[in-house]
Amino acid sequence: MTFDNVRGRSTPGRPSPTPPIVSGTPSVVQSLRTHSGGSVPFSVEFNPPRDAAGEARLWRAARTFERMHPAFVSMTYGAGGTTRDRTVRITGALAEETTLLPVAHLTAVEHSVAELRSLVGAYADSGIRNILVLRGDPPGDPLGEWRKHPDGVAYAEELVRIVRDLGDFHVGVASFPQGHHRSPDLEHDTAHLAAKLRAGAEYSITQMFFDVEHYLRLRDRIAAFDPIEGAKPIIPELMPITSLRTVARAEELCGRPLPPAVMARLRKAAGDGPEENNAAVREVGIEIATEMGQRLIDEGVPCLHFITLNFAKATGEVLTNLGYGVTAAPISA
């Protein structure tokens, strides 16, 4: 069977390149192993803040999570490099000023290969050796037409190879429990994921989802397609819903509407009055995230990865519900 839009059609089962050893800098996979004593590790995602107040909030969240000992923290990257300088600076500061293991996002959108190489070099200068490679979405409209930069790359697989060729970097990629919205079917989507892993990616982090079955089917698909690459960690991404307003954000991030059963629970909590019952919606959102987290733990996931939107409290509550040891109470909203 052929897949015309998938590059690097190596034979399923062929080992991918051996991950590099980076002195003094653990990889995400190594960190997962050292954090797995007695419980499933967790990790969190931050976003580059827009102003000084947002940066202060991010640092409050980072210090809270630092006391909770995540396996790693990731920092997103604006489409077309809109947050490039701030992203590099803050990700580097997390590496230098905390005990956290930062993972920098890197996207191909509106970047030439030369610019991508320069950005990887900037990360290296800041002490960052773990990079999450994403093709990325068009700026302004994630569902809009994707256009390759004239001097750039068309696939995340190519970007994986670029980063790996530049030196001792540990690379992760994205995976999609319901399939990427640009893939014609799950078969093609699975082939794309296998190609990225064969190119040298050591793990994947899923797109956010709200039905654990979608994650489990993804895990089954990649294991059947390529047992060797399918054995690499597939880290599920979760986000506690704290208000109906965040539902739209969640749907934008996962590219799919929330399951009807989830929306029914949230709407019931919101009530029929003119004002949303924010406290009730938040409580149900925490319950849903806790239920999903427990099911995923029971299914043997390698890690739980949380979208935080630069807040610590909701994720901290979910982790507490799941029995994680928290050495200090969350201090951010």
Side-chain angles (χ1 to χ4, degrees):
M1 183 177 296
T2 60
F3 300 93
D4 293 339
N5 63 340
V6 178
R7 300 181 67 256
R9 302 181 186 87
S10 51
T11 303
R14 180 186 68 81
S16 58
T18 302
I21 302 300
V22 185
S23 177
T25 304
S27 70
V28 164
V29 174
Q30 290 167 336
S31 185
L32 294 181
R33 290 171 181 162
T34 60
H35 280 73
S36 61
S39 64
V40 172
F42 81 94
S43 56
V44 297
E45 177 182 292
F46 296 135
N47 306 104
R50 297 180 179 180
D51 51 33
E55 185 165 344
R57 188 180 76 223
L58 182 150
W59 277 102
R60 288 195 299 272
R63 292 302 185 185
T64 296
F65 284 120
E66 187 175 20
R67 296 191 291 270
M68 299 166 70
H69 311 296
F72 65 92
V73 300
S74 70
M75 178 68 72
T76 64
Y77 181 72
T82 54
T83 60
R84 168 176 171 158
D85 293 342
R86 193 180 304 117
T87 299
V88 172
R89 175 176 60 81
I90 295 177
T91 309
L94 288 170
E96 296 170 3
E97 301 176 22
T98 75
T99 59
L100 299 167
L101 176 66
V103 176
H105 288 213
L106 179 68
T107 72
V109 177
E110 297 189 350
H111 281 316
S112 67
V113 169
E115 290 170 337
L116 292 166
R117 290 176 183 272
S118 175
L119 182 55
V120 173
Y123 281 137
D125 290 343
S126 298
I128 308 300
R129 293 291 176 170
N130 286 279
I131 297 178
L132 185 71
V133 165
L134 311 157
R135 189 173 78 160
D137 294 319
D141 181 7
L143 301 180
E145 181 181 358
W146 199 92
R147 292 187 176 91
K148 173 183 173 294
H149 186 284
D151 299 313
V153 298
Y155 297 98
E157 175 199 351
E158 298 171 279
L159 192 47
V160 172
R161 297 184 190 280
I162 288 172
V163 175
R164 288 296 303 272
D165 288 345
L166 286 174
D168 294 336
F169 293 98
H170 299 288
V171 181
V173 293
S175 52
F176 302 89
Q178 295 174 264
H180 192 280
H181 65 270
R182 298 184 194 279
S183 290
D185 51 49
L186 292 177
E187 196 172 42
H188 282 77
D189 192 77
T190 304
H192 274 292
L193 175 56
K196 292 186 289 187
L197 294 169
R198 290 177 199 147
E202 301 170 30
Y203 63 95
S204 72
I205 298 178
T206 73
Q207 187 179 54
M208 182 172 49
F209 58 91
F210 286 88
D211 185 339
V212 173
E213 288 298 321
H214 291 311
Y215 170 86
L216 298 177
R217 299 294 77 77
L218 165 66
R219 192 170 66 176
D220 291 344
R221 286 196 304 274
I222 188 64
F225 187 87
D226 188 327
I228 291 178
E229 302 305 327
K232 292 178 177 179
I234 302 174
I235 300 171
E237 184 176 67
L238 308 173
M239 187 178 87
I241 297 292
T242 56
S243 71
L244 290 185
R245 185 174 58 183
T246 63
V247 168
R249 178 60 172 158
E251 292 181 337
E252 177 184 347
L253 290 171
C254 67
R256 310 276 182 173
L258 269 63
V262 171
M263 282 305 307
R265 290 175 66 179
L266 294 170
R267 290 196 178 103
K268 181 178 179 181
D272 298 327
E275 298 293 334
E276 173 187 335
N277 187 334
N278 290 323
V281 171
R282 186 182 186 282
E283 181 179 357
V284 170
I286 298 295
E287 288 176 359
I288 292 170
T290 300
E291 292 164 4
M292 292 180 63
Q294 188 59 61
R295 172 85 188 281
L296 290 163
I297 290 171
D298 293 342
E299 292 286 351
V301 297
C303 181
L304 297 176
H305 186 67
F306 290 90
I307 295 176
T308 69
L309 304 180
N310 297 350
F311 291 100
K313 188 174 182 181
T315 297
E317 289 179 21
V318 174
L319 291 169
T320 299
N321 291 344
L322 293 171
Y324 286 75
V326 181
T327 58
I331 58 176
S332 58

